[in-house]
Amino acid sequence: MNPHLPPVAPSVTAELVAALTPRLRKRLDAGVAKVAGRPTVREGDVVRIALDDDTDLELHAPGGAVTSAEAVRCGCLLAPDCLHRAAAASAAPVADPADTPATGAPRPRADPPQPPLRPEQPPTAPARPEDRTQAAAARSVTAEPTEPETATAEQLTAAAALRDAAAAVLEAGAEGAGAVLQAELLRAAHTARLAGLPRAAGRAVAVVTALRAARSADPAYRLTDLTAALREVLGVAHRLRGAAGAELAGLRGTVRQPYAPDGSLRLYGLFSEPVLTATGYAGAVTWTADAEGRLYTVSDVAPGGADRATGAAGRSVRIGDTALTHRELSRAGLAVSGATVSPTGRLGAGAGVRAVRASGAAWHAEPLDGLWAVPVSEQVARALTTEQDLLFLDITLAGTVREAAGDCLVADCGGLTLRLAAAHDDPALPHRDNLRLLASARGARLRVVARLTPAPLPRALLLATSHPTDPETRVDLGLDRLLRADLPTTQTPPVPAAPAPEEAPVHLLRRRVHQAASGGRRVLAFPGNRDADAARLRRHGLATAGDLLDELHAAAADRSRDPFGRLLPADTARFGRAWLAAAVYTEELDRALCAAAWGAHLAPPSPSPR
């Protein structure tokens, strides 16, 4: 993936790849690698790629993204039927589907906001009690039960195509899912968006983005991100047929989060964190809270790289006429009138919103101190069941522990042994360097903000902390750099960390789920110690995990032969179902083990119709 190219709409890439001849499709991956390595020049809305000394390829993106096949123009002799146009589209970042409506088709809304029901006009004279009783009785007799809404035939067809395309990607794995399979998934995503399934379409685009990052050796690539996106695409496609009512609305998703009026708000800055994603977006998000402890965010995220992530904190927040920067807001306050807020707490920046600077509050002062007063178990239960995954913790640093991804801080948190990892590994951000410095401050008592990581042991990503020597000062660990002089000159004796309990071997199943997403079905088809792994899972009381592992291996190795002894195509549907069952089980078990490790209590999930 070439970040210097403009984003290309999924439908454009799918159209260009579909127009290739079978011979050119076989050469597409090599063409992508060639185009991705060529120099690019941007002139206004046009990005020009020099294919050779005499031939250029142009991508026209007047709105910031390429939205039609005609906007990709090549100067070679075979154009427009050449390989270069499809290769350039496959090498470019994938545009956000919500920002690229299909030509000639209105932008769909899978779950449009409905106006509130209006009651009937009241009678001119006050209704008597006996009249109301008779009317209620009449309604109970004449009213017919309303059948809950179910998916349309168009949505079921789109979901089936999305399931098949995602199963083909899973069959090949990241190593084998080249540009052709990616284009098929993008085509299915575009069809799903037009059918009113923006959630599945968005996650399918996330799969393609992760595949391109994996195949280009992008350091921002994370196998867990690819696995999660694949799991959600297959899960939505699988559940859609039996879903109805509220479950169906959740599976469909929304194109844009609706913003609702929220009156006047008095907000207090908490901290800022940089945003740097594998999909080519960067910026900053500042977290604030009101007097009741409700959290609100102000974000500035746009296409860009590490430079934008580090510089966004110095930009003015986009609310009203305030001149506060994100860094300043994280320590100050904000008074907002005419506020609009999304369901996730993001503040809108509409024309009617007014905001002025106000005084802030220290973490140890009201009202922010109340965030840390909530019991940790309640915070974890909230993080596991809602989209608000922040934890407000008082900790004592106890040392470090080495893991495969790097060193983690070990801290005592109310008797729990907590592992704190860096929130981002990009060297342009100071997360990892700050963590190394804090590791030498054993015994320091800190007030921190962290993001929960579901795991069998208490674990979180460290986002912000009180200063090691000045509790009234905060440090945004993704933006501020600690120095050796910031550490205490004398260290108190460290609190000994309690020995970690033996973990349930969920990793034996999780590892196979990740291996399939990376290497495809064939990796799990090889004979190995799968029987021993399944037996170990059962010995630890995880009989279901053992059965799922057996079925996953069996589905991977299931290859029938025709009467002449030739291998028939693999049953991708069976393998996809087996992989999805294992992936969903692993995710839910991680949540349950995480809740148990923190002492949190989760309500049992409500059964979903299938």
Side-chain angles (χ1 to χ4, degrees), residues 9-12 67 95-111 154-155 158-159 162 185-205 252-256:
S11 59
V12 174
T67 57
D96 183 356
D99 294 332
T100 56
T103 303
R107 179 176 297 174
R109 293 187 64 93
D111 188 20
E154 183 184 11
Q155 290 173 344
L162 203 57
L185 186 55
L186 290 177
R187 177 183 294 278
H190 179 65
T191 303
R193 184 172 71 91
L194 293 180
L197 301 175
R199 173 182 171 184
R203 297 310 290 161
V205 170
R252 285 172 170 169
T254 56
V255 176
R256 290 294 187 192

Side-chain angles (χ1 to χ4, degrees), residues 29 164-182 211 215 226 230 514-524 570 572 575-576 579:
D29 287 334
D164 293 343
V169 167
L170 183 62
E171 165 79 12
E175 298 174 5
V180 174
L181 285 179
Q182 295 172 22
L211 290 174
R215 295 175 63 83
L226 172 61
L230 265 175
H514 288 174
Q515 283 178 341
S518 177
R521 178 195 55 78
R522 65 185 183 277
V523 174
L524 301 187
T572 57
F575 182 66
W579 183 88

Side-chain angles (χ1 to χ4, degrees), residues 126-379:
R128 296 172 300 173
E130 56 268 26
D131 293 335
R132 290 195 295 267
T133 303
Q134 293 173 2
R139 286 194 299 270
S140 66
V141 173
T142 59
E144 296 181 357
T146 303
E147 290 292 333
E149 183 185 8
T150 58
T152 65
E154 183 184 11
Q155 290 173 344
L156 293 176
T157 301
L162 203 57
R163 178 197 62 215
D164 293 343
V169 167
L170 183 62
E171 165 79 12
E175 298 174 5
V180 174
L181 285 179
Q182 295 172 22
E184 291 299 325
L185 186 55
L186 290 177
R187 177 183 294 278
H190 179 65
T191 303
R193 184 172 71 91
L194 293 180
L197 301 175
R199 173 182 171 184
R203 297 310 290 161
V205 170
V207 170
V208 174
T209 300
L211 290 174
R212 292 182 179 179
R215 295 175 63 83
S216 62
D218 189 334
Y221 166 69
R222 296 291 182 272
L223 179 57
T224 53
D225 294 340
L226 172 61
T227 303
L230 265 175
R231 181 185 66 238
E232 187 163 356
V233 171
L234 289 171
V236 170
H238 174 74
R239 295 170 55 193
L240 195 69
R241 180 172 295 277
E247 183 189 14
L248 175 62
L251 293 176
R252 285 172 170 169
T254 56
V255 176
R256 290 294 187 192
Q257 288 191 354
Y259 285 81
D262 202 12
S264 298
L265 298 173
R266 175 65 169 91
L267 304 177
Y268 301 85
L270 274 169
F271 73 100
S272 291
E273 62 172 322
V275 175
L276 183 59
T277 71
T279 56
Y281 287 83
V285 174
T286 298
W287 291 80
T288 65
D290 65 7
E292 285 73 38
R294 292 189 297 264
L295 300 182
Y296 299 84
T297 59
V298 181
S299 63
D300 180 6
V301 180
D307 291 341
R308 194 180 196 288
T310 55
R315 298 173 180 265
S316 298
V317 298
R318 298 177 179 178
I319 297 183
D321 298 326
T322 177
L324 277 173
T325 66
H326 283 268
R327 190 184 298 274
E328 291 170 340
L329 177 58
S330 66
R331 274 89 172 163
L334 202 64
V336 186
S337 62
T340 58
V341 184
S342 77
T344 58
R346 181 177 177 179
L347 290 172
V353 179
R354 298 290 182 267
V356 295
R357 180 172 185 157
S359 59
W363 281 1
H364 288 82
E366 292 296 337
L368 298 185
D369 184 64
L371 296 172
W372 279 264
V374 179
V376 174
S377 59
E378 292 183 16
Q379 295 189 48

